[in-house]
Amino acid sequence: ASSFHWRYQFPALEARHRVYSVCLVGYGWSDKGDVAYSHDLWGAQIQDFIKEVVGEPAVLCGNSLGGLAVLRAASLDPSLVS
């Protein structure tokens, strides 16, 4: 759930793709707010990131909890995924 986990993959991915890495709320460098953490919260966070930052459908991948978050985001709005 922390973008730090992807640091060694960035160079290879960036050679051919535009790459973003998101720290899920409550993990990594993100805020540790007093909210109810859930797959719905993290899925919505990924959806918002795609809409507000990426601006077009994206290929998603995640590791561990990040995998759950991107699957939830894709299931909530498949139009955000290419």
Side-chain angles (χ1 to χ4, degrees):
S2 171
S3 63
F4 186 72
H5 294 151
W6 290 92
R7 66 192 179 281
Y8 298 119
Q9 287 78 29
F10 290 159
L13 293 170
E14 290 171 337
R16 297 187 56 195
H17 307 280
R18 187 172 48 172
V19 177
Y20 298 94
S21 182
V22 176
C23 286
L24 297 177
V25 173
Y27 290 90
W29 296 294
S30 74
D31 289 336
K32 312 303 189 270
D34 186 19
V35 298
Y37 298 119
S38 70
H39 65 286
D40 288 325
L41 173 71
W42 295 310
Q45 179 186 358
I46 298 299
Q47 286 181 299
D48 291 344
F49 186 85
I50 295 168
K51 291 175 188 175
E52 297 172 17
V53 177
V54 179
E56 62 186 355
V59 174
L60 306 178
C61 64
N63 178 51
S64 190
L65 182 62
L68 173 67
V70 298
L71 285 172
R72 186 64 179 147
S75 71
L76 292 170
D77 189 351
S79 71
L80 297 176
V81 180
S82 65

